[in-house]
Amino acid sequence: MGLPLVESALQWNSGILNANRDPKNDDVEFQITRLYSRFHSLDKGENGALSREDFQRIPELAINPLGDRIINAFFPEGEDQVNFRGFMRTLAHFRPVEDNEKSKGHDASEPLNSRNNKLLFAFRLYDLDRDDKISRDELLQVLRMMVGVNISDEQLGSIADRTIQEADTNGDMSISFSEFIKVLEKVDVEQKMSIRFLH
Amino acid sequence: MEDAWGAARSAAQVWLSLVVGLIMLPAMFGVSLGITETYMKVLIKTLKWATFRIQKGRRERETLKPSPSNGIIQRDDGSMEKEIGELRRSRPKRPDGGDFTLSDVFYFSRKGLESIVEDEVTQRFSSEELVSWNLLTRTNNNFHYVSLRLTVLWGLGVVIRYCILAPLRITLAAIGISWLVIGTTVVGLLPSSRVKNWLSELVHLMCYRICARGLSATVHYHNKQNRPRKGGICVANHTSPIDVVILANDGCYAMVGQVHGGLMGVIQRSMVKSCPHIWFERSEMKDRHLVTQRLRDHVNDKTKLPILIFPEGTCINNTSVMMFKKGSFEIGGTIYPVAIKYDPQFGDAFWNSAKYNMVSYLLRMMTSWAIVCNVWYLPAMTQMEGEDAVQFANRVKSAIARQGGLVDLSWDGGLKRDKVKNTFKELEQKKYSSMVVGDDSSD
């Protein structure tokens, strides 16, 4: 059933595996096993990788206005297939931030589910061309995806202009990542961009 | 050579007479010799012991993980308004109530990721996962090797199921089907009369009883006083083609379906000789008006048997009830809802038509431990004043879901094969738009 893959994923996901069995690791192992089952059931072609069609087969995702952008987040530049590692990597952004992880010192590499990385995930939903700026056009595109046909172009344009005006501090008529972080500093990102397992 | 041949023939004769005498004849007359009951008791005891051993063998974990169909992630069922409202909490409210913030995307991205991890629909089109292994290889997903005794038991189970039970069941099924074809053809030769109807019902019942034994089906019927009557429509949730055998074991129905070729076609043609069933050509199925008219004609004739319809239109895995298509509820007869719930411990009855064709599915059924299910006859329902067909269908669906302990979903079972309609996405977009624009009446 691909258990060696699960074992390696377990090691990757929780850093160094404890020698004595930490009950928390049992939880993580369970979660990874369940996610692997899920990956496997979505993989209709049974080739160990998911394509965009595999994601679009999920009805709740297909009716999500931002469905296509979310699916895009799984596929690295120019690729059409995502393997289990990539799948877990993207999902890892939505791991809840544990209390003991918050108090960790300055790590060499920030965990994927840090506040910063969660915000980066959301930023990248807007910033399609990855130039680290949300331009007016990119903002309009996302707005149009979310509201459909229900709002006129002019009204949408003025909403976009207002948003950029509120966020832009260096006057370049676009929103950089640091400006993005500043605007959202009061939002409870850790809570709102996390998925909790029941066990 | 001669001896071997003679021995084989006498063995076959003994085998056949045992089958006929001990199983077929009692089944035909609805009498039980208690063999099945004993088998079930032994089986239940064995599975309980196996569960106990597996629990003991699990490292560190005392509690059994609850069934995955109960959900593995926490889902906030807050509405879009509530969730986005919370995201916007830190901003001052605008006079018209509408607003757009960069954090609105958080709501959609979390909902999207949640549905990627677990969604309500796609899990209904594959077999339900068991909490504890029932000694069948096919359900062995996450269960590791536990003990030698368990493995021996499993091996014994394989031998019993494939070498003893399966041939027995195949023999019974073959007898049942051939008797159905022959019997209904013979009855069909008689002129129309009360005797013919009575005989036809008798033949149908006997054959379905033999077929049910051919699957080792143990069915508990509840509330038999609500059994469907002539001139009515019986609706039930659909899990597999076996549903027909289960229901027809206890009453006579007029079947509705498409004309098939091959063996199914032969069965269909002979069945319709003895009593009226409704078989549609493929081309006729597309004409909804024609279909409704034929069904209505049948229902209005109060001497004809109740129609059996599965409004979901496709097989679902028996953990939920999906959208009921409104066609059956527009005909206008009395609806007799029936809830069918299989016990997955003894054998998984769900037909995953993407994975298995009919023959391999039936073989899997015949090599399971048994098919155990509960059938509840619900009180009759009719369309109320001011209620349209869709609302009526939903009302019946909820009643069936409640009785059977199944999840009540509004999603269309057709999503098994088709893409979801764009109108649902447009609904979401509309909802969100009203949050952006607010209730400004100065437009």
Side-chain angles (χ1 to χ4, degrees):
Chain A
M1 213 207 93
L3 279 171
L5 177 62
V6 173
E7 288 297 319
S8 67
L10 174 63
Q11 280 178 329
W12 159 74
N13 209 35
S14 54
I16 300 160
L17 202 55
N18 285 347
N20 29 323
R21 290 202 70 79
D22 184 352
K24 198 166 143 301
N25 278 335
D26 279 343
D27 276 336
V28 178
E29 184 181 328
F30 170 71
Q31 289 166 14
I32 294 181
T33 316
R34 292 247 35 102
L35 287 172
Y36 185 75
S37 291
R38 175 65 171 168
F39 179 84
H40 193 68
S41 70
L42 289 173
D43 179 15
K44 290 280 186 272
E46 302 219 341
N47 55 352
L50 296 178
S51 65
R52 286 190 167 79
E53 286 78 34
D54 287 323
F55 283 100
Q56 276 153 1
R57 235 178 258 117
I58 304 173
E60 290 171 36
L61 189 61
I63 69 170
N64 188 318
L66 288 181
D68 286 333
R69 286 289 165 98
I70 296 168
I71 294 174
N72 248 6
F74 282 85
F75 294 87
E77 275 304 311
E79 305 222 349
D80 287 326
Q81 301 272 318
V82 55
N83 60 10
F84 184 58
R85 205 180 197 95
F87 182 72
M88 290 294 284
R89 210 184 147 73
T90 313
L91 283 180
H93 285 90
F94 281 75
R95 270 184 69 202
V97 182
E98 307 294 320
D99 284 320
N100 55 355
E101 283 179 21
K102 267 198 206 131
S103 59
K104 265 196 184 123
H106 295 284
D107 269 58
S109 64
E110 221 174 334
L112 283 167
N113 62 339
S114 68
R115 183 194 165 88
N116 243 26
N117 278 325
K118 286 181 198 284
L119 282 164
L120 191 59
F121 183 89
F123 186 78
R124 293 215 168 118
L125 289 177
Y126 290 101
D127 182 22
L128 207 57
D129 60 4
R130 297 288 174 97
D131 63 353
D132 289 325
K133 286 206 291 271
I134 304 177
S135 67
R136 183 177 189 270
D137 271 336
E138 286 173 336
L139 185 55
L140 269 175
Q141 265 180 35
V142 173
L143 273 167
R144 185 51 77 192
M145 284 177 86
M146 290 201 282
V147 305
V149 300
N150 297 292
I151 298 184
S152 67
D153 280 333
E154 300 89 52
Q155 209 173 356
L156 219 58
S158 63
I159 292 174
D161 288 328
R162 191 187 70 224
T163 312
I164 293 183
Q165 215 176 23
E166 284 172 358
D168 194 14
T169 49
N170 66 352
D172 63 351
M173 302 302 272
S174 64
I175 307 177
S176 71
F177 186 48
S178 44
E179 288 165 351
F180 188 75
I181 296 177
K182 187 90 182 52
V183 171
L184 299 176
E185 65 185 349
K186 291 216 188 77
V187 178
D188 186 3
V189 178
E190 287 93 334
Q191 223 264 346
K192 290 297 175 189
M193 293 272 277
S194 291
I195 296 178
R196 272 169 195 78
F197 271 82
L198 284 173
H199 322 286
Chain B
M1 196 50 209
E2 288 273 318
D3 286 342
W5 196 229
R9 274 179 60 195
S10 47
Q13 274 174 341
V14 170
W15 166 252
L16 218 59
S17 42
L18 265 181
V19 167
V20 171
L22 285 179
I23 301 180
M24 198 183 105
L25 283 176
M28 277 163 64
F29 299 106
V31 165
S32 171
L33 283 179
I35 301 177
T36 318
E37 276 79 13
T38 330
Y39 168 64
M40 292 300 291
K41 282 209 192 84
V42 171
L43 191 60
I44 292 174
K45 279 221 182 77
T46 319
L47 288 178
K48 266 215 187 92
W49 178 84
T51 312
F52 179 63
R53 290 291 297 176
I54 294 174
Q55 263 179 292
K56 263 177 69 174
R58 247 171 235 240
R59 313 161 285 167
E60 257 104 20
R61 294 222 154 269
E62 273 95 52
T63 56
L64 224 49
K65 288 270 178 260
S67 169
S69 59
N70 287 338
I72 53 173
I73 54 175
Q74 212 169 347
R75 298 193 83 149
D76 282 320
D77 281 322
S79 65
M80 192 194 285
E81 286 83 9
K82 177 166 164 281
E83 294 285 327
I84 296 189
E86 278 182 18
L87 279 167
R88 295 175 177 173
R89 206 169 23 197
S90 54
R91 285 167 69 88
K93 275 201 167 41
R94 289 164 61 81
D96 57 9
D99 195 6
F100 167 73
T101 62
L102 290 167
S103 58
D104 288 353
V105 293
F106 289 5
Y107 169 74
F108 291 112
S109 46
R110 189 175 85 177
K111 274 258 170 291
L113 265 291
E114 279 176 354
S115 66
I116 289 176
V117 173
E118 171 185 72
D119 79 298
E120 281 293 350
V121 183
T122 54
Q123 55 166 289
R124 311 292 170 191
F125 302 134
S126 57
S127 300
E128 185 186 0
E129 274 190 52
L130 291 175
V131 179
S132 164
W133 190 34
N134 64 347
L135 298 178
L136 295 175
T137 329
R138 61 193 68 151
T139 52
N140 190 348
N141 275 332
N142 287 324
F143 305 108
H144 310 277
Y145 173 83
V146 174
S147 78
L148 181 63
R149 269 190 273 180
L150 207 61
T151 315
V152 165
L153 195 62
W154 168 77
L156 197 64
V158 171
V159 168
I160 294 179
R161 284 183 296 119
Y162 280 83
C163 302
I164 302 179
L165 291 178
L168 173 67
R169 289 169 184 170
I170 295 173
T171 320
L172 281 170
I175 296 177
I177 293 179
S178 31
W179 180 222
L180 181 67
V181 173
I182 298 171
T184 48
T185 316
V186 164
V187 171
L189 294 173
L190 295 174
S192 283
S193 64
R194 285 231 330 250
V195 175
K196 177 182 181 184
N197 289 341
W198 176 77
L199 267 181
S200 144
E201 282 185 27
L202 193 66
V203 167
H204 274 106
L205 262 178
M206 285 202 309
C207 300
Y208 281 118
R209 287 208 178 115
I210 300 175
C211 287
R213 284 303 166 91
L215 294 165
S216 290
T218 308
V219 191
H220 303 286
Y221 297 97
H222 305 268
N223 305 333
K224 285 198 184 180
Q225 70 274 11
N226 293 327
R227 217 186 300 193
R229 282 173 223 166
K230 290 199 163 105
I233 305 173
C234 175
V235 302
N237 56 315
H238 201 24
T239 308
S240 94
I242 294 183
D243 290 343
V244 172
V245 174
I246 302 277
L247 286 179
N249 220 13
D250 193 44
C252 288
Y253 299 93
M255 311 284 166
V256 179
Q258 234 179 39
V259 169
H260 284 97
L263 179 61
M264 270 307 297
V266 173
I267 300 176
Q268 284 179 327
R269 276 192 297 274
S270 54
M271 275 170 74
V272 86
K273 283 190 188 129
S274 64
C275 78
H277 297 279
I278 307 175
W279 305 122
F280 289 104
E281 301 288 335
R282 198 172 209 118
S283 48
E284 290 176 325
M285 297 276 320
K286 299 212 169 44
D287 185 350
R288 277 200 41 197
H289 205 69
L290 178 70
V291 170
T292 317
Q293 192 53 45
R294 261 183 86 176
L295 291 172
R296 199 173 279 150
D297 291 337
H298 184 112
V299 167
N300 286 334
D301 183 348
K302 296 295 174 198
T303 61
K304 292 201 177 150
L305 296 168
I307 321 177
L308 178 58
I309 295 186
F310 298 105
E312 281 164 318
T314 187
C315 293
I316 312 292
N317 77 345
N318 210 232
T319 55
S320 67
V321 183
M322 298 186 93
M323 183 180 96
F324 274 7
K325 297 197 178 359
K326 62 176 186 206
S328 342
F329 299 90
E330 287 173 330
I331 303 172
T334 321
I335 302 278
Y336 295 92
V338 178
I340 308 176
K341 179 86 177 93
Y342 291 89
D343 189 343
Q345 190 71 6
F346 298 99
D348 169 36
F350 168 60
W351 181 30
N352 192 343
S353 48
K355 257 176 136 182
Y356 309 106
N357 62 14
M358 176 68 92
V359 177
S360 43
Y361 166 72
L362 285 174
L363 280 175
R364 277 168 63 93
M365 286 300 100
M366 291 182 185
T367 53
S368 311
W369 292 119
I371 308 284
V372 177
C373 65
N374 284 298
V375 172
W376 289 274
Y377 293 108
L378 295 164
M381 289 179 160
T382 43
Q383 198 163 356
M384 295 199 296
E385 281 298 314
E387 193 182 41
D388 69 357
V390 174
Q391 289 166 328
F392 183 34
N394 284 337
R395 191 161 59 93
V396 175
K397 172 166 65 84
S398 304
I400 292 182
R402 225 191 342 260
Q403 178 67 78
L406 305 162
V407 177
D408 186 359
L409 294 177
S410 328
W411 293 96
D412 186 353
L415 289 171
K416 201 197 237 181
R417 292 186 193 89
D418 307 323
K419 279 197 159 27
V420 65
K421 286 210 220 33
N422 233 23
T423 44
F424 294 106
K425 186 193 252 195
E426 287 160 17
L427 267 172
E428 294 288 298
Q429 287 169 329
K430 203 168 162 71
K431 256 201 296 190
Y432 178 66
S433 305
S434 63
M435 292 199 72
V436 172
V437 167
D439 347 85
D440 56 316
S441 39
S442 58
D443 210 17

